[in-house]
Amino acid sequence: MQGLSSSWCAFPSAAKRHEVAPQFVDDPPQKRINHATKALIDDLLLERISMIGIARVTKVSEPWVQQYVNKKTRRCLVRLR
């Protein structure tokens, strides 16, 4: 294991022994989407606004909007059966 510093550790439990503090950031990249935003997204979907437009207006990532639409679609299909 040449080239590795003495503080490097392959096992998380061993890292605890080195007293590694958790890392926090002031503005985390992942945020929870509140109910008001989800309600706005539902309304915009009913108005047939594109998912890219919805993501832009609500400041939510496009992949998140796509996943949200997929989940809503699955729920609707289950209810119809």
Side-chain angles (χ1 to χ4, degrees), residues 17-38:
R17 284 186 244 138
H18 293 288
E19 297 182 25
V20 176
Q23 301 295 315
F24 297 99
V25 292
D26 289 334
D27 191 19
Q30 294 182 348
K31 298 178 182 176
R32 293 201 177 262
I33 310 301
N34 61 28
H35 294 292
T37 303
K38 289 180 182 179

Side-chain angles (χ1 to χ4, degrees), residues 42-55:
D42 291 340
D43 290 342
L44 294 172
L45 287 168
L46 289 173
E47 293 295 327
R48 300 179 58 94
I49 305 296
S50 70
M51 285 191 278
I52 293 172
I54 292 172

Side-chain angles (χ1 to χ4, degrees), residues 51 61-75:
M51 285 191 278
S61 71
E62 291 175 35
W64 187 91
V65 175
Q66 181 68 60
Q67 290 174 354
Y68 181 73
V69 169
N70 291 347
K71 286 180 186 177
K72 298 248 335 152
T73 303
R74 275 187 240 119
R75 284 188 212 135

